[in-house]
Amino acid sequence: MLIDGHCHLAGSTELAQRQQKYQILTILNCDSPEEWEENQRLTKEGDLQLLSFGVHPWKADQYRFEAVLPYLEKANIIGEIGLDSVWTEVPLATQLTIFEQQLIYAMERQKPVVLHTKGCEAEILSLIKKNPNRYLIHWYSSMALQKAYIDFGCYFTIGIDLMRNNAVKELAKKVPLDRLLIETDGLAAIEWALDRKVQVDDYVAILRCHLQSLAELRNIESTILAEKMTKNLQVFING
C-alpha cells in the first residue's frame, strides 16, 4: 500500500478520487473550519483518508483557540501546527499562543500531532518535550537538531525534494525504519519542490518514484519499505 503522510487537497475532487482509487493511506490536513467541511465532502468515510485539523502558523492571527475547539474535538489527529520564522509575517508571539494551546489540548487527549517547524526547530523541540505525545515532523528540512528530534521518538515524513535537498536527504538516512514516512504535501508543494508543472494524473507516479528513491537510499526493497511505512503511519495514528 502507498502512503502519503501529509497532504493538502486544496479543494481538488480529482486528487481525492485518485487517492481513493489507488487506496493510498493519507493524512489530509485541514487548517480552517471551511477546509474541514470541504474535505469531509471530498473524502469517503473509512480508514484510508484521515483528516487532521489544526491552526497553521501562517493563520495564527486569524483564529482564536475557542473558535476552533469544536473542530479540534472532531479530529483524531491535530495538525499541522507549529511555528515559522521564515515563510510568514505573522508575529511569533501570536503563533506561540495558539500553538501552545493546541499542544496542551492534544497532549491531554492523547491525540497525535503533525508539526510544522520552519526556522523554529529549537523552540518547538523544547515545547514538545514539555507536552509528551506522538509527534510527526512534516517535511523537516534543517540540518539542526535532527538527532535530538529522532532521540525524542518523533516520526518524520520525508519531503518530495529528497534528492534535491541535502538536509532532507541526510535526515532520510538517519530516521529509524519504524518511524519513517513519506509525503507529498499536495500538488502545489510537489510543483514547488520539483520546479515544474504537475497534473493530478502525475500524483501516483510521483509518489511511487518518491518511495523508490527513499528505498534505494535506505538499501531496502520498495515493497518492503511501503509495508513498513503503512504500519508506521497506522501506529502513529492509533498508538
Side-chain angles (χ1 to χ4, degrees), residues 51-90:
L51 303 189
S52 66
F53 182 88
V55 177
H56 193 285
W58 300 355
K59 295 187 174 182
D61 58 349
Q62 299 179 30
Y63 299 100
R64 293 178 61 83
F65 178 78
E66 294 75 16
V68 298
L69 181 57
Y71 294 90
L72 294 169
E73 290 178 341
K74 292 176 184 179
N76 292 322
I77 307 163
I78 305 303
E80 70 188 274
I81 64 174
L83 300 173
D84 190 326
S85 64
V86 178
W87 289 332
T88 182
E89 295 182 359
V90 177

Side-chain angles (χ1 to χ4, degrees), residues 143 146 161-171:
M143 292 297 293
Q146 290 187 2
D161 60 348
L162 169 63
M163 304 312 291
R164 296 175 175 225
N165 187 321
N166 286 335
V168 173
K169 190 173 183 179
E170 286 304 308
L171 176 67

Side-chain angles (χ1 to χ4, degrees), residues 104-199:
I104 293 168
Y105 168 86
M107 180 193 66
E108 290 176 344
R109 288 155 182 81
Q110 285 299 287
K111 294 185 178 187
V113 174
V114 179
L115 290 173
H116 175 110
T117 60
K118 193 65 178 177
C120 298
E121 292 79 15
E123 295 89 340
I124 289 175
L125 181 60
S126 176
L127 287 168
I128 65 176
K129 284 183 175 180
K130 296 175 183 177
N131 296 278
N133 201 345
R134 298 193 305 283
Y135 289 105
L136 188 162
I137 313 298
H138 137 68
W139 204 324
Y140 196 84
S141 57
S142 172
M143 292 297 293
L145 297 172
Q146 290 187 2
K147 185 177 185 299
Y149 274 102
I150 290 170
D151 289 348
F152 189 60
C154 295
Y155 292 77
F156 294 83
T157 47
I158 302 302
I160 208 81
D161 60 348
L162 169 63
M163 304 312 291
R164 296 175 175 225
N165 187 321
N166 286 335
V168 173
K169 190 173 183 179
E170 286 304 308
L171 176 67
K173 294 176 183 178
K174 299 173 184 174
V175 178
L177 283 177
D178 62 353
R179 287 184 268 135
L180 185 63
L181 302 161
I182 56 173
E183 68 162 290
T184 66
D185 204 16
L187 296 178
I190 295 173
E191 291 186 344
W192 173 80
L194 301 182
D195 194 26
R196 64 179 174 86
K197 188 69 177 174
V198 172
Q199 305 296 329

